Amino acid sequence: MLIRIGYDIRFSMAAPVPMLFLLNVHPCRAADLLAGETVRTEPPVSVQHFADSFGNRCGRVVAPAGTFRLYNSAIVRDSGLPDVVARDAPQHPVEQLPPEVLQFLLPSRYCQVDSELSDIAWKLFGLAPPGWPRVQAVCDWVHNHVTFGYEHADATRTALDVYRQGRGVCRDFMHLSVTFCRCLNIPARYVTGYLGDIGVPAVPLPMDFSAWFEVYLGKKWYAFDARHNMPRIGRVLMAVGRDAVDVALTTSFGQATLEKFQVTTEEITNV
């Protein structure tokens, strides 16, 4: 399967603004790119690429005053298979986890593992079998108890807020799920990437980047998605981190007004 991905993002600045971005496909999917994935800017500026502490491919620019555009289009090869389901994937005792995985058990900006959610997690999911069934129980609960809606977007909402309010956007579903998993001693990390309406009825809403999360079971990272709560086709990973702070698409060190945000992710069928 071939999937066309891309974006067109425009800002307006009154003065030059340093900016970071995570808009490239993750290095683990780089070999699947059939067409070059070069972040282009308008007007053209120098782009410095680097890898962050999570292995994500990042870029930095100084956006000039006026209108500044970040855009790209690429084609990625995908297996066309739905997310892997490994119901027998075991949970590792904390003392047996690789050192690099331990950070995904700790509290982060939006995922307060050291809050009242720890007691709540054990009350809700402590009787579920450890490993895959326990993570699935988390997804089922979050899916059934949190209402999705773009009108519920709030950049300051934490996992505890999501639990109390019972509403949010995809990042909120993932923050609560990640927090519950960490409370249960299951390493979990937040993910952002492309996920189009492939293999499912199209949603009559503008396309956007998507959030999901991954858990470490059986010496592997597996994708879970509490919002959709079903295996999906065509996930294209962009970045991983502790929560949404670590995988922000753009970070501006100055005033930058978003004027356009358009995302493309669609199966190519006319080949």
Side-chain angles (χ1 to χ4, degrees):
M1 171 187 290
L2 299 181
I3 302 174
R4 188 184 313 280
I5 59 174
Y7 51 84
D8 190 346
I9 306 173
R10 300 186 189 187
F11 297 91
S12 177
M13 271 82 72
V17 175
M19 182 179 294
L20 303 179
F21 61 81
L22 281 79
L23 292 170
N24 288 96
V25 167
H26 193 271
C28 72
R29 294 300 304 267
D32 296 326
L33 289 167
L34 300 185
E37 196 210 18
T38 301
V39 178
R40 292 177 286 176
T41 71
E42 190 178 285
V45 298
S46 175
V47 179
Q48 178 186 358
H49 292 281
F50 64 96
D52 67 11
S53 60
F54 301 101
N56 303 315
R57 190 180 176 199
C58 309
R60 62 189 297 183
V61 297
V62 176
T67 300
F68 181 66
R69 179 187 182 201
L70 291 160
Y71 65 105
N72 181 43
S73 180
I75 298 174
V76 62
R77 181 189 291 110
D78 191 80
S79 69
L81 300 174
D83 299 326
V84 174
V85 176
R87 301 189 191 282
D88 59 348
Q91 181 174 336
H92 300 280
V94 173
E95 64 271 20
Q96 295 179 13
L97 290 169
E100 65 273 13
V101 172
L102 293 174
Q103 63 182 317
F104 298 109
L105 290 175
L106 303 177
S108 57
R109 167 66 178 84
Y110 292 105
C111 302
Q112 314 105 308
V113 178
D114 51 351
S115 69
E116 63 187 83
L117 287 177
S118 182
D119 288 339
I120 292 170
W122 284 104
K123 289 177 182 177
L124 290 174
F125 313 112
L127 296 180
W132 191 281
R134 187 168 286 176
V135 179
Q136 187 58 59
V138 168
C139 285
D140 292 343
W141 192 95
V142 173
H143 180 78
N144 291 327
H145 288 80
V146 180
T147 300
F148 177 86
Y150 287 112
E151 68 276 15
H152 303 319
D154 181 349
T156 66
R157 183 182 288 120
T158 67
L160 184 57
D161 295 330
V162 180
Y163 175 80
R164 290 171 172 169
Q165 298 170 8
R167 62 178 185 269
V169 292
C170 59
R171 64 180 257 162
D172 300 308
F173 282 70
M174 308 317 151
H175 281 152
L176 183 54
S177 300
V178 165
T179 304
F180 276 150
C181 287
R182 291 180 188 170
C183 289
L184 298 165
N185 296 331
I186 302 171
R189 63 189 188 185
Y190 184 96
V191 175
T192 188
Y194 294 94
L195 179 63
D197 297 325
I198 300 174
V200 296
V203 177
L205 295 170
M207 185 56 63
D208 197 353
F209 291 110
S210 188
W212 59 94
F213 73 104
E214 295 180 341
V215 299
Y216 190 80
L217 298 172
K219 299 182 180 181
K220 294 182 180 179
W221 288 102
Y222 291 98
F224 283 84
D225 185 340
R227 176 193 168 189
H228 298 104
N229 203 27
M230 62 179 292
R232 291 288 297 268
I233 297 171
R235 294 188 196 273
V236 181
L237 178 65
M238 293 172 67
V240 302
R242 294 164 299 182
D243 58 29
V245 170
D246 294 327
V247 299
L249 298 170
T250 62
T251 302
S252 302
F253 298 90
Q255 186 173 2
T257 302
L258 182 65
E259 292 190 336
K260 180 179 182 180
F261 186 85
Q262 179 178 322
V263 178
T264 299
T265 173
E266 57 190 8
E267 182 183 1
I268 299 175
T269 58
N270 56 344
V271 293

